[in-house]
Amino acid sequence: MVIKSRLYNPLWFIFILTAVVLGYLNLKISVDVYDNKRENLVPYYIIPLGSFLLGGVFTLIVTAGPDGNLQSGLLVGSVVGLVFFLTFTYGHYLVKKRNEE
């Protein structure tokens, strides 16, 4: 029960928000450093396919775990898939926009 009481602490939400902002800024910096002369981007259909495949793998891992059930597996898998999908989609957009300039 000690862990649950710590999760409701407002400092925990500030930590999560800070990690998200730092990740976003790091993504913009890494795209700026990226070699712009390279024209062969990964086709966009690979991004959702890979993201949701990774989410499916996480679903199977959590469901097959000792305390896992299908509901928690689907929750974790969908969150992981969605997070990877949004991150890679935004990175692909930044690289494509940078190549057009």
Side-chain angles (χ1 to χ4, degrees), residues 5 14 19 22-23 28 44 48 57-58 62-63 77 81 89 93 98:
S5 65
I14 292 173
L22 287 175
K28 287 195 91 142
Y44 181 73
V57 168
F58 270 89
V62 171
T63 304
T89 299
Y93 167 74
R98 179 67 80 186

Side-chain angles (χ1 to χ4, degrees), residues 26-90:
N26 190 19
L27 181 65
K28 287 195 91 142
I29 290 172
S30 66
V31 168
D32 286 341
V33 174
Y34 190 72
D35 186 17
N36 292 332
K37 303 203 182 337
R38 189 173 155 222
E39 290 293 327
N40 52 354
L41 282 174
V42 174
Y44 181 73
Y45 68 88
I46 298 291
I47 293 172
L49 183 67
S51 298
F52 295 124
L53 185 66
L54 186 67
V57 168
F58 270 89
T59 299
L60 291 175
I61 289 172
V62 171
T63 304
D67 293 333
N69 56 12
L70 186 60
Q71 183 180 6
S72 62
L74 287 175
L75 179 67
V76 169
S78 62
V79 167
V80 167
L82 186 66
V83 165
F84 273 90
F85 173 71
L86 292 175
T87 304
F88 287 130
T89 299
Y90 185 66

